[in-house]
């Protein structure tokens, strides 16, 4: 009888180990699938090409090139990332703060003498930097911001998501933010 009880206990333990192993595998697969769904990639090389395309366009229109500055790069990058992760598209931040407040906090140290502008784009990931600029030029409001002679510095932030959250309804999406500024 003891032999059978011992065998039964061993079989139950083996079955328990197998079930736990399968459960752990299911959790790992679920986490992998979940992370694939929300994968967001920053696009540093793309940002440099976009910055060059913006300056080339400004030169073609007789305007001076703008200088890339770290604070505005961080502001634009954070905003694009935040929109991708939170699944929204707006100039305001996820906490409701205006883009003016965001730009001043990243670049102007809260300086109220900082004049700022911002262009956004939500598009499929296959678009080139030149096409981004072309789309902004076709929109009168974006064109005014892009080609304003008052800007001296700027920053760009680009992220791509293979499965956009919220308003992006699970589609692949690229979010582009360009922030412009001048101190009065």
């Amino acid at each position: 009888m003891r032999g059978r009880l011992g065998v039964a206990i061993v079989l139950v333990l083996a079955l328990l180990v197998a079930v736990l192993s399968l459960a752990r595998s299911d959790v790992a697969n679920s986490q992998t699938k979940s992370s694939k769904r929300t994968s967001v990639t920053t696009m540093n090389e793309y940002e440099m090409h976009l910055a060059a395309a913006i300056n080339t366009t400004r030169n073609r229109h007789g305007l001076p090139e703008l200088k890339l500055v770290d604070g505005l790069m961080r502001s634009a990058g954070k905003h694009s990332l935040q929109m991708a992760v939170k699944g929204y598209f707006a100039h305001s931040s996820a906490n409701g703060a205006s883009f003016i407040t965001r730009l001043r906090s990243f670049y102007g140290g809260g300086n109220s003498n900082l004049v700022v502008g911002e262009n956004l784009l939500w598009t499929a990931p296959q678009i080139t930097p030149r096409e981004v600029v072309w789309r902004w030029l076709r929109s009168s409001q974006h064109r005014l911001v892009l080609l304003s002679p008052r800007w001296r510095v700027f920053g760009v932030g680009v992220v791509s998501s293979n499965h956009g959250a919220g308003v992006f309804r699970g589609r692949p999406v690229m979010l582009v933010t360009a922030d412009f500024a001048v101190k009065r």
Side-chain angles (χ1 to χ4, degrees):
M1 188 103 159
R2 283 188 179 181
R4 286 185 190 172
L5 183 59
V7 170
I9 290 174
V10 169
L11 286 175
V12 168
L13 288 175
L15 182 60
L16 185 58
V17 167
V19 168
L20 288 174
S21 180
L22 286 173
R24 194 170 11 168
S25 174
D26 285 346
V27 168
N29 287 338
S30 141
Q31 288 172 340
T32 300
K33 287 177 186 173
S34 174
S35 67
K36 284 181 184 175
R37 274 186 288 183
T38 58
S39 173
V40 176
T41 306
T42 57
M43 303 178 68
N44 298 332
E45 186 176 340
Y46 189 100
E47 291 170 350
M48 294 303 105
H49 291 292
L50 177 59
I54 288 170
N55 273 329
T56 297
T57 300
R58 288 178 59 82
N59 281 335
R60 286 186 184 143
H61 286 86
L63 298 166
E65 284 190 6
L66 303 176
K67 178 183 176 189
L68 279 173
V69 294
D70 186 54
L72 293 176
M73 289 294 289
R74 286 193 327 269
S75 172
K78 179 183 177 189
H79 190 60
S80 288
L81 180 62
Q82 188 177 68
M83 288 189 295
V85 170
K86 304 265 184 186
Y88 77 100
F89 185 75
H91 287 282
S92 59
S93 297
N95 66 4
S98 72
F99 79 93
I100 295 167
T101 301
R102 178 173 32 85
L103 271 64
R104 285 180 178 162
S105 71
F106 275 92
Y107 178 65
N111 183 348
S112 62
N113 291 322
L114 187 69
V115 178
V116 296
E118 182 173 75
N119 278 351
L120 302 177
L121 182 66
W122 154 17
T123 186
Q126 297 80 9
I127 191 169
T128 68
R130 286 176 49 188
E131 290 170 321
V132 169
V133 173
W134 180 77
R135 286 192 183 180
W136 284 336
L137 288 172
R138 291 186 52 204
S139 159
S140 60
Q141 290 179 330
H142 292 97
R143 182 184 183 91
L144 283 172
V145 172
L146 182 68
L147 298 179
S148 174
R150 69 176 147 185
W151 307 134
R152 295 296 174 255
V153 294
F154 76 127
V156 294
V158 182
V159 299
S160 180
S161 176
N162 63 346
H163 192 277
V167 298
F168 310 117
R169 295 190 223 147
R171 295 177 300 217
V173 63
M174 186 169 73
L175 293 157
V176 181
T177 302
D179 290 334
F180 303 89
V182 62
K183 291 179 181 175
R184 290 188 258 187

